[in-house]
Amino acid sequence: MSTITAPPAGASLADRYDAVRACTETLASPLSPEDQTVQSMPDVSPTKWHRAHTTWFFETFLLGPRLAGYRERCPEYGYLFNSYYEAVGSRHPRAARGVITRPGIEEVAAYRRHVDEAMAELVDRVARHPADGEPELIELGLNHEQQHQELLLMDIKHVLSCNLLRPAYRPAPALARGSAPPATWLDHPGGVVEIGHDGAGFAFDNESPRHPLLLLPFAVASRPVTCGEWLAFIDDGGYRRPELWLSDGWFTVQAERWEAPLYWTQDGDGWEVFTLAGPRPLDPDEPVCHVSQYEADAFARWAGARLPTEAEWEVALGHAVGTGRDFDAARVHPVAGDGLGVGEVWEWTGSAYLPYPGFRPAAGAVGEYNGKFMSNQHVLRGGCCATPGGHVRPTYRNFFPPAARWPFTGLRLARDPA
Amino acid sequence: MSTITAPPAGASLADRYDAVRACTETLASPLSPEDQTVQSMPDVSPTKWHRAHTTWFFETFLLGPRLAGYRERCPEYGYLFNSYYEAVGSRHPRAARGVITRPGIEEVAAYRRHVDEAMAELVDRVARHPADGEPELIELGLNHEQQHQELLLMDIKHVLSCNLLRPAYRPAPALARGSAPPATWLDHPGGVVEIGHDGAGFAFDNESPRHPLLLLPFAVASRPVTCGEWLAFIDDGGYRRPELWLSDGWFTVQAERWEAPLYWTQDGDGWEVFTLAGPRPLDPDEPVCHVSQYEADAFARWAGARLPTEAEWEVALGHAVGTGRDFDAARVHPVAGDGLGVGEVWEWTGSAYLPYPGFRPAAGAVGEYNGKFMSNQHVLRGGCCATPGGHVRPTYRNFFPPAARWPFTGLRLARDPA
Amino acid sequence: MSTITAPPAGASLADRYDAVRACTETLASPLSPEDQTVQSMPDVSPTKWHRAHTTWFFETFLLGPRLAGYRERCPEYGYLFNSYYEAVGSRHPRAARGVITRPGIEEVAAYRRHVDEAMAELVDRVARHPADGEPELIELGLNHEQQHQELLLMDIKHVLSCNLLRPAYRPAPALARGSAPPATWLDHPGGVVEIGHDGAGFAFDNESPRHPLLLLPFAVASRPVTCGEWLAFIDDGGYRRPELWLSDGWFTVQAERWEAPLYWTQDGDGWEVFTLAGPRPLDPDEPVCHVSQYEADAFARWAGARLPTEAEWEVALGHAVGTGRDFDAARVHPVAGDGLGVGEVWEWTGSAYLPYPGFRPAAGAVGEYNGKFMSNQHVLRGGCCATPGGHVRPTYRNFFPPAARWPFTGLRLARDPA
Amino acid sequence: MSTITAPPAGASLADRYDAVRACTETLASPLSPEDQTVQSMPDVSPTKWHRAHTTWFFETFLLGPRLAGYRERCPEYGYLFNSYYEAVGSRHPRAARGVITRPGIEEVAAYRRHVDEAMAELVDRVARHPADGEPELIELGLNHEQQHQELLLMDIKHVLSCNLLRPAYRPAPALARGSAPPATWLDHPGGVVEIGHDGAGFAFDNESPRHPLLLLPFAVASRPVTCGEWLAFIDDGGYRRPELWLSDGWFTVQAERWEAPLYWTQDGDGWEVFTLAGPRPLDPDEPVCHVSQYEADAFARWAGARLPTEAEWEVALGHAVGTGRDFDAARVHPVAGDGLGVGEVWEWTGSAYLPYPGFRPAAGAVGEYNGKFMSNQHVLRGGCCATPGGHVRPTYRNFFPPAARWPFTGLRLARDPA
C-alpha cells in the first residue's frame, strides 16, 4: 500500500479534493474484486459500494445541478448507490448491497475517474467564482468521503473476520506494543460551559449551534479502558451478572451470546484478537476496542464509575482531539501510548444522540445527512485509529446504536466527585 | 363499576394500602375470566397477571423478608409473576404471559386476600415500629400498583381492540365533549433552573437528584395537539412524506403501515376511534392520543415546531400536574378542556430517558425498578386520563420506547424564540 | 366428568346428532373460562373456539342455506369462527385465535344451544324429507365435530403443559399399566390389492376412490414401538447422530433442540411424562407418543427397519381399526395391551398425503375440507386414545406435517423381506 | 464462450473426466470475480463455490483415501466447501457462502488444477487396476459436477436478476423462436408396469431398485404448458382465486405476492422475461418456466386436469428423454419445438420425492447424496435446457421443494380418462 499523506493545512480545494479521493483508492488497493463485493451483514457495505457511493454524492449534489453539460455516467447508479437520501429517489435496499456484482471494480474505478475529471472542472470554476454554498458543499462531499474511508476499513474487517481462513487486509507490519500508564482521574469543577462548533472552518450541522450549558463537577479518566482491565471484568463474571446491565443490554448479551468484545476468540488459555493484519495475541495494554455501548455501560457500573456525557467529554478532552498519532493506513489498530490516549478508539458517551438546542438541519437533501438519525443512538467522541488525518474536531459527534460493535469503539470512565 | 375514591391526603398507610388495593379490584371487576387471561401482544400483560404481579411484589419484598411466620401462597408464583427482577430469580417469559390459564381469576383474588391479610398485620406493625425503609418500601409497592392500574387499562384496551366485535370495557357513559381553545405560546426566558424531586414525600428514584441546569429561552403551547390538528397533518400527507420523519420513524411507518394514530379507523368519509366504551366518532377537539414518539416528532416538524425537553416541560408546566380533573375509572378517555390540558394525555418529550446527574438506583432488587430501562426510551410528562388520582407529580418521569402507541400518549408543541 | 356413551350403531340421525354434540360439551366441562380461552402456539386452538367453530359449521352449511327463517346468532361469528374455508369469506387470523376474549364460554354455550334447537328442526325435516345430500352433509358436520373433539384434547394438553404448575385436565384416575408383548413380524405376500373406501357408510372424500395397486412383499410389526424401545434409541445417541436423520429432520432437531419426545422431561435419573392427568413417571411398556414423523423415520432407520406405507398399513392392519378399547374421555393416554395395539397412537406412515388416483373433492366450500392440504404432510393411520368411539375406519387417512408432535402420534415398524 | 462438446459415447474415463471438468470452467468463463462471489439468497451458491465444491468432492472421496501421497490443497477447504455431508465434518453455513471472499477465483482455478493433476494420476491407475467401486465413484463425481453445472447456471441467473441493471450472463445470441403445436392427449392404458433403473450404466441410488407397480389408465399432454396458456391463467384471475390452490400454495402466493412466474415483469401492456441473455419480450409459444409446484398444481386444477405422477411420466414419456436438442451453453432458455418438448423444462410431477420400494442408499458419506432429502420435496422429470448433454436418463429423478421457482421448472398436464 502506498503511503497516504494528508494534504497540508491550507491546501487548495483542488489539492484537498485530489488527496481525499486518492486516499479512498489507496485504502481499497489491497482488496481483490471478490473482497470488494461482499456484504457480511446489513450494517456493512461492500468496498466497491463505498467507492461508488461517495462518487455518486459528488455527481448528484454537485455535478448534476451545477456543472453545465455534465453527463451522468449511468442513470441507474442513482438507484444503486444512493444510501438514504429519501428526497433524491428510491434506492437499492441497504441489506442487499452485497448482491450487486456489476458494476465491477474496474467500472467503479472508471466511474470515479469520470466524476473526478468533471469535478476538476467544477472545482476550478468554484475556486474562481464560488456561488452560494458551493465550496461548503464540496467540503461536505470530502468529509463525507472521509467518513466512508473509516467505514470501508471497519466493514472490510468484519467481512474478512467471517472467513475461517482469517485472512489479513494487507501484509502485517510489526504492530507496535506500547505500555499503558496507570489511569488517574482528571477533575473538572463544572459550571457554565459552552460546547458545539463556533463556525470557523468546516463542521457537520449536528455540531451546531454552539451553546452554553451547566455542568456539575466531575472527573474523567486519564486514558481509555485497556484490554487487561476488560479481562478482569470478564473474569469477574461481567457477562453473566444481570445486575450490571441495562435491560436492553442484558437482553442483547443473551440473544447474541456475547462473552467478550467482538473479534476476541479464546485460544487455549489465552485470547486472540482478529485485526486487519490477521489474528494476534491479545495485548493487555491496548485500549479495548469493538465493544458496544451496552458493554461499556456495564463495565463502568462494574468499575463503580459511569460513562461521561458528551459535554463532559468535550470540555475535559476536546483539546486533545487530533493531536495524537497520525492516521496510518498500514497500521489500523489502537495502541497504548502516552498522553490522554484520545484518538485510538471512539469513546462511547452516556449521551443519546439528540439535536443541540436551536439545531437546524441543512436545507435540501443534504439536510438528511445527520439530523434524521437522532433516535436510538449514542454519541461517541474523539476519533479512532481508522479515522483519516484531519477529519475530526473537538466538537465532532459520531453516533451508533448502542448494540454496535463493529466500529472501533472503546470507552473511558467518568465519575461524580466523591 | 363502583366508584373509586382516592384516599384523602394525609390518610394513614393502612387506609392508603386498602384504597389502592381496592382500586385494582374495582378496575378489574367489569372483566370476565376470559378477558383477564389474554395477552394481545408481547408488551401487553393479562389483567389477572397485573393483579397477581402487584401482589407478588408485596409478598416478595415485604412479607417474605419482614413478616415472621409468613407462608407464601404458592412457591411457583415467584416464577409466574416476577416481571423483570433478575436478582430475584428466573421468571416466566414475558411474551408468554397469555398462555397461563391457572391460577384463574378466583385463585388470583384469593391470593390477593391472602397477601392483604398478612400485609394488614405488617402495616400495623410498621405503623407502630417502623424499621429502616419499611414505610418507603410499602409506599413503593403502592405506587407500583398504581402504575399497574394504568397499565391494566391500556392493556385491556388493546386486547379488546383486536376483536372484530369491538367490545366495550364497560357500559358506555355519555362521553363529555369539550371544546378546545385556540393554542397560544407560553414563553419562558430560560436561565439556570432546577428540576427533579426535592425529597419531600414519595418519588421514584429516577426523579432524583434535584439538580440545576441551564435552559435557553423557549416557548411551549398552551394545550396539547388536538385530533383536528392531527387530521390536517394526515390530509397534508404527513404519513407519506419521508422528509418529516426521523429515519427510524420512517422505517416504522412503512413496516407497520401506519396511516393514523392507533385505534383510529376510517368509517366512510369520517374517522372512528376505539375507546374503552367501544367505538365512537372522532372528536376533533379532543387531545390526540395513541401516537408514537416518532409520529409526535414528525408532527412537530411538520408544524414548524419541536417537542419540548423534559426540563422545559417541568419548569413551564410542572405546576399544572395533578390539578386537572380527577381520575374517573368510568370515563378513561382524554377530553378537551379549559386550562393547560395537562393530565389528559402523556406528553412525549424530545428527551431520551437517561439518569440525572448523580443518580443512584435504590439498593437491592427494587433498584432494578427504573434505572435499568435507561436506554432506547423517551420521557413523557404530565399523566393521563388513565392515571390514578394522586399518582403523578411535577417531577414524574414516565418512559416508553419511541414506537409505543398503546399507552395514552399525545404531545404538546414547543419552539425556540423567533 | 360425566360418562360419554357413543350412540349405538343404527341410532337415528337425531340421536346421533345429540350424542356427538353432547360429547363436545362433556369434554369441555372440566375446563375453566381461562382454560378455554388460551392458544399456546399457532397450531393450537382455544377450547371455546373448537366449540364455536363446530357450531358455525352447522349454521353456515346447513341452517343458513336450508332452514327457512333461520336467524344467525351473530353476523360476526362467521369471521371469528371460520377456520379455512376461503370460499366462505375472510376470517380471523389462525395464529390470533387466542386474543378473542368475547364471546366468552357462556355465550358460546348459548350459541351452541341456539344452533342445536334449529338443527333439531332441520334434522327432523331431513329425516322425513331428505333433499339432495342433506343427510350426508349433517353426517359430515358430525364427523367434523368428532375430529375437533380430538383436537380439543390434544390442544388443551399443550396449553396446560406450558404452565410451570403442570396442572391436570381433570382429577387423575389410576392409569392402567399394561405390559407390552414382544414384537413380532407379520408377513404379507404383496400382490395387487385394493385400498380406499368402498362407499358404504360415511367416509371423507380423501378416502376415495377405492382403487387397486401393486404391493411388493413386506412385513409389519405386531405392535407399536414402546417408550422403553425409545429410551434405547436415546441412550444410543439417536438425537445426536445425523446419519440417522432426513436432512429436514436433522435441521429441526437442532433448531428445536429436541432430545426426547414432546412432554418427556428428565427427572433426576428417570423420565417423567406430562399427561392430561398431570405428570407421571415414564412407563416403558406404553406405546411411545408425541413423536414427529422425522423422529419416527430416524428411529426406524436406527432399528434397521422403515415406516410402512399407508397401503401396507391398510391391508395388513386395517381390520383391527376400531376394535380396540373404547374411547375413554377420562383416560386419554395410550396404554400397552394385548392384540395389535391399533388405536392407541396415530401411526406415522412413510406415505406423503396425496390424492388417490381419480380423487374428486366434494363440490362447494366443503370441498376445501381435505384436498387442499395435500402437500407437505404425511399420512397417519389407526386412530388413537383421544379419538372418539366409532370415528375411525380401516380406510381413514389422518395427516399432519412431519414436524408435528402435539397430536397423539407414534409409530410401528415395517421392513422388506430379508 | 468456447463451444462445449460432450464427450462421445464410449469415451474413456480420462477423456470423460477432462470433458466434464472443462465444461464447468467454460460455463464460469463469462463471469467476473465479482459475479462469481455473490449468493443472492440461501438456496443459491456462488459460482466459485460450485467450482470449488465439485473439486472438493474428488479430493475428499477419491484422492484423500485412494491416492498415496496426495497432499490436500488447504485443510480449511474441507470446512468451506463441504455442502451437507454431515459424516465428513462440520461445514460453513449454507446461507453464508456469499461472505467468503477468499479463496478468490484465481486460487479456485489453481485448486481445480491441483486436483485435476492428481486425478489424472488416479484415473490412470484406476483404468489399469480398478479397485472396488472406484470407477463408479469417479463416475459419481462427474455426475455430481454435471448437476452443479446446471445449478451454476440457474444460480447465476438469480444473482444477475437482482440487479436493476439486468445484466446478461453473456452476449446475447439471437434466441430462436419456435412455434408451439396444439396440445393433444396421449392415452395410456395403465396396467402393471416397471419403473426405475435397470442397472446398466450409471444412475443415482434414488433411481433404484427397478420395481413393478400398477397404473390406472391415464393421458398426458403432448407438450409442456406454454407461456401463452399461462397468460390465460393469469388473465382469468389464477393468482387471486383461492379455490384453485393448495392451502400451502395459497399461503405462499400471498406471503410472496406472486402474480406471475419468476423473472416475468410487466412492461407497459406486455410482459418481459429475464433470461441469461438479459430481458426480452415474452414469447407465448415457449414452454412456461420458473413456476413452483404450487403454481403448476393450481394451473392444472384451473385447466380441469392434474399433474402426472412420476410413474406415469416415466412410462409415457421416458423414451423421449435425452433425444431433444443438445445442451447449448450459449442458449440456455427453453424453446418451443416439434416433438414432445421433453428436455426444455423440468416437469413438475404430483409425486412426493420418496424412496422406491427396497431403496438402499449407497454406503458411507456418499450415501447422504440423495436419500436424506426425501421429505417435503416433489419429483421433476425430463431435464431442461440447462442440463448438460448426456446427463439425464428416462429414470432420472430430480427434486425440489414445492415453492422453488429458480430452477428451470415447468409442467405438462395429465388427466384421468373421461
Side-chain angles (χ1 to χ4, degrees), chain A residues 67-90:
Chain A
L67 183 66
Y70 176 73
R71 290 196 49 183
E72 66 184 344
R73 177 80 179 179
C74 171
E76 286 85 0
Y77 287 179
Y79 179 81
L80 293 178
F81 301 126
N82 182 0
S83 54
Y84 54 78
Y85 299 87
E86 302 277 357
V88 179
S90 63

Side-chain angles (χ1 to χ4, degrees), chain C residues 303-380:
Chain C
R306 60 171 173 83
L307 298 177
T309 65
E310 67 168 320
E312 289 170 343
W313 203 101
E314 185 169 326
V315 301
L317 299 163
H319 65 280
V321 170
T323 62
R325 68 172 165 121
D326 277 347
F327 170 56
D328 176 354
R331 193 173 291 171
V332 178
H333 195 73
V335 296
D338 296 335
L340 294 166
V342 170
E344 296 297 328
V345 290
W346 283 105
E347 301 183 16
W348 284 111
T349 71
S351 298
Y353 176 51
L354 290 173
Y356 281 168
F359 168 68
R360 292 275 181 282
V366 295
E368 296 191 48
Y369 200 91
N370 282 306
K372 67 190 297 183
F373 299 106
M374 290 174 171
S375 65
N376 303 315
Q377 313 229 23
H378 271 257
V379 173
L380 303 100

Side-chain angles (χ1 to χ4, degrees), chain C residues 50-393:
Chain C
H50 286 299
R51 294 170 63 206
H53 165 69
T54 49
T55 304
W56 167 87
F57 186 100
F58 288 110
E59 185 173 63
T60 302
F61 295 115
L62 284 153
L63 296 177
R66 292 169 192 270
L67 183 67
Y70 175 73
R71 289 196 50 184
E72 64 183 345
R73 177 79 177 178
C74 171
E76 285 85 359
Y77 287 178
Y79 179 81
L80 292 179
F81 300 127
N82 181 0
S83 54
Y84 55 78
Y85 298 88
E86 303 276 358
V88 179
S90 62
R91 57 208 154 84
H92 188 79
R94 168 165 195 144
R97 287 177 187 162
V99 306
I100 299 303
T101 71
R102 306 184 196 176
I105 72 169
E106 295 301 335
E107 163 57 15
V108 167
Y111 177 36
R112 289 182 65 92
R113 289 191 300 269
H114 173 87
V115 163
D116 285 347
E117 284 163 22
M119 279 299 297
E121 189 180 338
L122 182 66
V123 167
D124 179 64
R125 199 267 287 149
V126 166
R128 290 179 288 107
H129 307 293
D132 57 307
E134 282 177 348
E136 292 76 10
L137 203 46
I138 294 169
E139 195 60 46
L140 179 62
L142 295 177
N143 277 273
H144 172 253
E145 181 140 354
Q146 286 183 305
Q147 290 185 308
H148 278 275
Q149 289 163 5
E150 182 172 332
L151 292 170
L152 183 160
L153 288 167
M154 59 197 240
D155 286 358
I156 198 67
K157 183 171 182 177
H158 190 268
V159 167
L160 295 174
S161 77
C162 294
N163 191 335
L164 176 73
L165 299 172
R166 315 255 276 158
Y169 163 64
R170 36 122 193 84
L175 273 172
R177 294 186 73 123
S179 160
T184 59
W185 290 106
L186 311 177
D187 291 318
H188 190 284
V192 173
V193 300
E194 288 205 339
I195 67 166
H197 195 254
D198 62 8
F202 176 82
F204 288 118
D205 55 2
N206 64 4
E207 301 169 53
S208 292
R210 189 164 177 85
H211 62 283
L213 51 79
L214 176 60
L215 289 183
L216 301 187
F218 68 96
V220 294
S222 60
R223 60 156 174 74
V225 169
T226 64
C227 290
E229 289 161 347
W230 201 270
L231 278 173
F233 172 69
I234 293 175
D235 291 345
D236 197 35
Y239 284 92
R240 298 189 306 271
R241 291 167 51 187
E243 72 273 17
L244 297 174
W245 295 79
L246 291 168
S247 180
D248 286 356
W250 184 240
F251 177 87
T252 308
V253 164
Q254 296 180 290
E256 303 290 326
R257 306 187 184 200
W258 287 347
E259 298 181 347
L262 183 64
Y263 302 136
W264 288 34
T265 46
Q266 236 157 342
D267 177 36
D269 290 343
W271 289 88
E272 203 171 66
V273 180
F274 181 72
T275 77
L276 282 168
R280 47 169 271 183
L282 183 76
D283 176 353
D285 277 324
E286 282 175 10
V288 70
C289 193
H290 298 297
V291 294
S292 63
Q293 207 259 0
Y294 294 138
E295 288 163 290
D297 175 88
F299 180 92
R301 191 168 292 111
W302 171 78
R306 60 171 173 83
L307 298 177
T309 65
E310 67 168 320
E312 289 170 343
W313 203 101
E314 185 169 326
V315 301
L317 299 163
H319 65 280
V321 170
T323 62
R325 68 172 165 121
D326 277 347
F327 170 56
D328 176 354
R331 193 173 291 171
V332 178
H333 195 73
V335 296
D338 296 335
L340 294 166
V342 170
E344 296 297 328
V345 290
W346 283 105
E347 301 183 16
W348 284 111
T349 71
S351 298
Y353 176 51
L354 290 173
Y356 281 168
F359 168 68
R360 292 275 181 282
V366 295
E368 296 191 48
Y369 200 91
N370 282 306
K372 67 190 297 183
F373 299 106
M374 290 174 171
S375 65
N376 303 315
Q377 313 229 23
H378 271 257
V379 173
L380 303 100
R381 291 298 193 110
C384 77
C385 57
T387 309
H391 182 61
V392 291
R393 288 165 296 284

Side-chain angles (χ1 to χ4, degrees), chain A residues 9-344:
Chain A
S12 72
L13 190 57
D15 285 352
R16 193 160 145 64
Y17 180 90
D18 291 346
V20 169
R21 296 282 288 170
C23 177
T24 302
E25 295 301 87
T26 303
L27 291 176
S29 63
L31 297 168
S32 71
E34 295 90 339
D35 292 335
Q36 296 198 31
T37 300
V38 166
Q39 175 177 40
S40 53
M41 64 167 176
D43 287 328
V44 158
S45 296
T47 302
K48 72 182 171 97
W49 188 91
H50 286 299
R51 294 171 62 207
H53 164 70
T54 47
T55 304
W56 167 88
F57 187 100
F58 288 109
E59 185 173 60
T60 302
F61 295 115
L62 284 153
L63 296 177
R66 292 169 192 270
L67 183 66
Y70 176 73
R71 290 196 49 183
E72 66 184 344
R73 177 80 179 179
C74 171
E76 286 85 0
Y77 287 179
Y79 179 81
L80 293 178
F81 301 126
N82 182 0
S83 54
Y84 54 78
Y85 299 87
E86 302 277 357
V88 179
S90 63
R91 58 210 153 84
H92 188 80
R94 169 167 192 141
R97 288 178 187 161
V99 306
I100 299 304
T101 70
R102 305 183 196 177
I105 71 169
E106 294 302 334
E107 163 56 15
V108 166
Y111 177 35
R112 290 182 66 92
R113 288 191 300 270
H114 173 87
V115 163
D116 286 347
E117 283 163 23
M119 280 299 296
E121 190 180 338
L122 182 66
V123 167
D124 178 64
R125 199 267 288 147
V126 166
R128 288 178 289 109
H129 307 292
D132 57 306
E134 280 178 350
E136 292 76 11
L137 203 47
I138 294 170
E139 193 61 45
L140 179 63
L142 295 177
N143 277 273
H144 172 254
E145 181 139 355
Q146 287 183 305
Q147 288 185 311
H148 279 274
Q149 288 164 5
E150 181 171 333
L151 292 170
L152 183 161
L153 288 167
M154 61 196 240
D155 286 358
I156 198 66
K157 183 171 182 177
H158 190 268
V159 167
L160 296 174
S161 78
C162 294
N163 191 336
L164 176 72
L165 299 173
R166 315 255 276 157
Y169 163 64
R170 38 126 191 79
L175 273 171
R177 293 186 75 123
S179 161
T184 59
W185 291 106
L186 311 177
D187 293 316
H188 190 283
V192 174
V193 299
E194 288 205 339
I195 67 166
H197 195 255
D198 61 9
F202 176 83
F204 288 118
D205 55 4
N206 63 5
E207 300 169 53
S208 292
R210 188 164 178 86
H211 62 283
L213 51 78
L214 176 60
L215 289 183
L216 302 186
F218 67 96
V220 294
S222 60
R223 60 155 174 74
V225 169
T226 64
C227 289
E229 288 161 348
W230 202 270
L231 278 173
F233 172 68
I234 294 175
D235 291 345
D236 195 36
Y239 283 91
R240 297 189 306 272
R241 292 167 54 186
E243 73 273 17
L244 297 175
W245 295 79
L246 291 167
S247 180
D248 286 355
W250 183 241
F251 177 88
T252 308
V253 164
Q254 295 180 292
E256 303 290 326
R257 307 189 184 198
W258 287 347
E259 300 181 345
L262 182 64
Y263 302 135
W264 287 34
T265 47
Q266 236 159 342
D267 176 37
D269 291 343
W271 289 87
E272 203 171 68
V273 181
F274 181 72
T275 77
L276 282 169
R280 47 169 271 183
L282 184 76
D283 176 354
D285 278 324
E286 281 177 11
V288 69
C289 194
H290 298 297
V291 295
S292 63
Q293 207 260 359
Y294 294 137
E295 289 163 288
D297 175 89
F299 179 93
R301 190 168 292 111
W302 171 78
R306 60 173 174 81
L307 298 178
T309 65
E310 65 169 322
E312 289 170 343
W313 203 102
E314 185 169 324
V315 301
L317 299 163
H319 65 280
V321 170
T323 62
R325 70 170 164 123
D326 277 346
F327 170 55
D328 176 353
R331 192 175 289 173
V332 178
H333 194 72
V335 296
D338 298 334
L340 295 166
V342 169
E344 295 298 327

Side-chain angles (χ1 to χ4, degrees), chain B residues 188 321 407:
Chain B
H188 190 285
V321 170

